[in-house]
Amino acid sequence: MSEQQHVEKPGPSEVRSPLVQHELKRAGVWFALAIAIGLVVLLAQPLMLVMGALVLATMMDGGARLLGRVLPIGRGWRLAIVLLGAVAFLAYTVYLTGSSLTAQAQAMRTIVEAQVGRIGGWMQQMGVTTTPDDLKSLASQAMSSMGRVTAAVGTAVGAITSGVMMLVLAIFIAVEPKLYERGVAWMLPMEKRAHFYAIADKMGWTLRRLMFGRIIGMAVEGVGTWLLLWAGGVPMAGLLGILTGLFAFLPNIGSILSGALIILVGFSGGTNTGLYAFGVYMAVQIVDGYLIVPMVAKRATDLAPALVLAAQILFGALFGIMGLFLADPIVAMIKVYLEERSRALAGEGAGSQRRGDDVQ
């Protein structure tokens, strides 16, 4: 009886096995995802600084593009004009109002603490067991639990260093953005680069529109609040206008913070002054929410308010103040990527369907 020839096949313990190769690929994907999450946690500060630099570069690029419509000069000169204009404005504002704003800031702190104490006393009279010290400790805990990045940029030296780093990086990116865009595309396969360029262009357009709307909203809210409060005799109108303009960069949360300050300071001057300050706050928010945002920013992003607020809470808890400020641009970029990706997949599906119909 002749022996039958037996062909050995690789078992599941050998790497040549298709089953093992498939499982190794799946495990590699999850392992790479875990490493990516760990790197995001460890590199939270530099990642937020890079994102901040991208946002600043977008604002510089948008300013240079706007100047290009009226000034037929080179891009480098237009970018220099934008930077010099921003520096001149900041220096002029600090020179004119620096000493008075410092005194007003010290007085505002005293007024806010006194008003918080009055609110706590009123709550105790109403039967609420919360004390003024509880309210102060709650505010301090909220500020101290803003994440890892806050500790890195919380000091004056850290804040200045981080700001300078972001500014320098933003200038390098804004000078020649296509250079860095091509550098990222070079790391992608050839067939993916056209799609990447389309997504990058759409992200740039969206961020420019979003930041332009944000700057317009900051100017309208800050100047409008200052003039109306000054006309009504509300104390520290200049400082409240500047704070309102700065807080306007943060949708939802910023308006709540600025409104609380305006109302607290307003009622320190009497009931009529407080009611007038509340009316000013409502009028400014209505103008920004129903005119500025729909005309400029919402057309570009159309982000749901609940989504933006949830992102601010999440990024603020994970990455601190920087995450809170950058939550809106990051969500807008993610939204653009998902939309462009789904559009590309839909186009590929339609193309496959047409090819199948042609074969039939």
Side-chain angles (χ1 to χ4, degrees), residues 238-250:
L239 180 60
L240 288 173
I242 292 177
L243 292 177
T244 300
L246 293 176
F247 284 142
F249 191 85
L250 294 173

Side-chain angles (χ1 to χ4, degrees), residues 32 35 88 129 164 199 223 280-281 352:
I35 292 178
T129 57
V164 171
I199 292 179
V223 175
V280 169
Y281 166 72
S352 300

Side-chain angles (χ1 to χ4, degrees), residues 218-237:
M218 291 170 66
V220 170
E221 290 194 32
V223 175
T225 300
W226 167 53
L227 292 177
L228 291 175
L229 292 180
W230 175 75
V234 179
M236 291 169 284

Side-chain angles (χ1 to χ4, degrees), residues 56 107 167 200-201 210 213 231 258 284 295 301 307 335 345:
L56 287 178
L167 181 60
D201 290 341
L210 179 64
S258 61
V284 171
M295 288 176 59
T301 56
L307 176 62
K335 181 175 181 289
L345 292 176

Side-chain angles (χ1 to χ4, degrees), residues 118-348:
R118 292 178 58 185
I119 293 174
W122 175 75
M123 293 175 66
Q124 283 184 324
Q125 293 179 358
M126 298 295 294
V128 181
T129 57
T130 303
T131 63
D133 293 334
D134 295 333
L135 296 177
K136 294 179 182 179
S137 64
L138 179 62
S140 62
Q141 289 177 8
M143 293 302 297
S144 63
S145 63
M146 291 300 291
R148 290 161 41 88
V149 181
T150 307
V153 299
T155 63
V157 176
I160 294 174
T161 303
S162 301
V164 171
M165 291 174 62
M166 280 194 301
L167 181 60
V168 172
L169 183 58
I171 292 174
F172 280 124
I173 296 174
V175 167
E176 197 171 358
K178 293 297 181 182
L179 174 64
Y180 303 96
E181 184 178 320
R182 290 194 299 268
V184 176
W186 176 78
M187 296 184 290
L188 300 175
M190 292 291 293
E191 64 273 10
K192 301 291 184 181
R193 295 183 184 180
H195 182 56
F196 167 77
Y197 286 130
I199 292 179
D201 290 341
K202 184 63 181 295
M203 282 185 176
W205 181 86
T206 302
L207 282 182
R208 287 193 299 270
R209 192 77 179 237
L210 179 64
M211 292 300 103
F212 177 72
R214 201 59 50 81
I215 291 175
I216 296 298
M218 291 170 66
V220 170
E221 290 194 32
V223 175
T225 300
W226 167 53
L227 292 177
L228 291 175
L229 292 180
W230 175 75
V234 179
M236 291 169 284
L239 180 60
L240 288 173
I242 292 177
L243 292 177
T244 300
L246 293 176
F247 284 142
F249 191 85
L250 294 173
N252 303 323
I253 294 179
S255 61
I256 296 174
L257 294 176
S258 61
L261 289 176
I262 291 173
I263 294 171
L264 287 175
V265 175
F267 275 100
S268 68
T271 303
N272 293 332
T273 306
L275 293 176
Y276 175 80
F278 177 74
V280 169
Y281 166 72
M282 294 300 298
V284 171
Q285 292 301 318
I286 288 173
V287 170
D288 181 65
Y290 288 93
L291 292 179
I292 305 300
V293 173
M295 288 176 59
V296 182
K298 193 173 182 179
R299 291 182 182 179
T301 56
D302 195 19
L303 296 174
L307 176 62
V308 175
L309 181 59
Q312 289 174 342
I313 295 173
L314 178 61
F315 282 90
L318 292 176
F319 306 115
I321 299 297
M322 290 288 293
L324 189 65
F325 274 91
L326 297 175
D328 198 20
I330 291 175
V331 171
M333 293 173 67
I334 294 174
K335 181 175 181 289
V336 169
Y337 171 78
L338 294 177
E339 288 179 346
E340 293 298 317
R341 181 63 179 170
S342 63
R343 188 175 293 112
L345 292 176
E348 292 177 0

